[in-house]
Amino acid sequence: MQTIIFTIAVALVLSFVLGLLLGLFKKIFAVKVDPKVEAIQAELSGGNCGGCGYAGCAAFAQAVVNGDAPANGCVAGGASVAKKIAELMGVEVSAVKKAALLTCQGTKDCALSRGNYNGVKTCEAAVQAVNGTKLCAYGCTGFGDCVAVCTFGALSMGSDGIPHVNYEKCVGCGKCAKACPKKLFAIIDLPKKGSIALCANRSDNKPPIKKNCSKGCIKCGICEKKCPEKCIVVTNGIPVVDYSKCTSCGECIKACPDKALSLIEEVTTA
């Protein structure tokens, strides 16, 4: 009995001593956190989406205090968070909402399939194995890697076989753009106006383009010729718009025989 009591007493004493030592070590080796960092982090969403370019919200908060990141760098927080962080840092900022835009219209109805794919059902795996599921080598693979990484519930796979963006939820963090092996997402500022090509096919082999996808850009250059502002130039196979000149007149869209062009303001409010 005495042995049991002695053992319990020794255990209690050791626990007490170890507790004191741990408390002492915690004070000695404690890393001081700047109150501003804690205050900024408290204003962030905590989603750790990486849209700011840093590993997480804590890293972004530290970068803001260090002067390495702008006060409006939290794309998930938007204008309200940018304003609060700016007040904490004593600076002025203008918050710009960002969003993702899919530059492909290769739905099941207009883009031909390569056939039955029996591999791992991810876009990355399908691209690695057979360069995607569509005859258009640039088209959306359709397995939803982008949807899987979206932490804001802003993306969903449609019955047409391509992802759709909910612009009320999208914060433009860019995770979908990084996850897409075909690089089909553009991260744009909102509100934004002007024409944009919803086709990523850069091939200069024109005949298969129309055969493989009814909405594929065939590089005819009609958009260039019809643009009254001369703000469209087909570059590397894709119509590129100078938005400092574009007036959203829609003439290029009307003229495009492939319906490869759309107005950004219409796409992002649909």
Side-chain angles (χ1 to χ4, degrees):
M1 184 68 181
Q2 290 181 342
T3 302
I4 294 174
I5 295 173
F6 178 75
T7 301
I8 293 173
V10 170
L12 289 172
V13 171
L14 284 174
S15 299
F16 178 74
V17 172
L18 288 173
L20 288 176
L21 290 174
L22 285 172
L24 181 63
F25 290 152
K26 184 178 180 181
K27 288 186 177 181
I28 294 174
F29 298 105
V31 177
K32 292 184 179 180
V33 179
D34 191 320
K36 279 189 177 180
V37 173
E38 293 181 330
I40 291 172
Q41 192 171 351
E43 299 295 341
L44 301 176
S45 67
N48 296 314
C49 65
C52 58
Y54 292 87
C57 295
F60 169 71
Q62 185 64 62
V64 171
V65 172
N66 292 344
D68 298 326
N72 61 351
C74 176
V75 294
S80 59
V81 170
K83 182 179 179 181
K84 292 175 182 177
I85 294 176
E87 290 174 352
L88 289 170
M89 294 300 296
V91 298
E92 293 184 3
V93 295
S94 59
V96 177
K97 176 177 171 57
K98 294 183 179 292
L101 190 151
L102 180 69
T103 59
C104 177
Q105 300 181 89
T107 64
K108 294 177 181 178
D109 294 333
C110 67
L112 295 181
S113 171
R114 287 180 181 272
N116 293 328
Y117 171 72
N118 296 317
V120 177
K121 297 299 191 291
T122 68
C123 300
E124 183 66 32
V127 169
Q128 290 291 332
V130 293
N131 198 25
T133 57
K134 299 194 173 79
L135 287 178
C136 173
Y138 300 83
C140 173
T141 304
F143 285 129
D145 289 15
C146 52
V147 176
V149 300
C150 180
T151 54
F152 300 95
L155 277 166
S156 60
M157 290 302 299
S159 59
D160 55 3
I162 62 174
H164 293 264
V165 182
N166 182 328
Y167 286 100
E168 291 183 358
K169 295 181 179 180
C170 182
V171 299
C173 67
K175 276 191 172 182
C176 55
K178 293 176 183 177
C180 178
K182 297 287 187 178
K183 306 303 177 188
L184 295 177
F185 283 95
I187 305 301
I188 60 173
D189 294 338
L190 291 182
K192 188 178 182 66
K193 295 183 177 182
S195 177
I196 189 169
L198 299 183
C199 176
N201 193 324
R202 298 182 179 276
S203 173
D204 56 4
N205 189 8
K206 298 180 183 180
I209 295 174
K210 192 67 175 178
K211 178 182 177 182
N212 295 339
C213 181
S214 60
K215 291 189 177 180
C217 174
I218 59 171
K219 337 301 178 193
C220 64
I222 291 178
C223 54
E224 286 188 16
K225 298 171 185 175
K226 293 293 183 178
C227 178
E229 305 300 328
K230 305 300 179 185
C231 64
I232 299 180
V233 178
V234 177
T235 306
N236 295 326
I238 298 295
V240 176
V241 179
D242 181 347
Y243 293 106
S244 67
K245 298 178 181 178
C246 183
T247 62
S248 290
C249 69
E251 291 301 317
C252 59
I253 296 170
K254 295 175 187 176
C256 178
D258 311 304
K259 306 304 178 186
L261 293 160
S262 294
L263 290 177
I264 295 174
E265 57 265 42
E266 292 182 355
V267 175
T268 55
T269 55

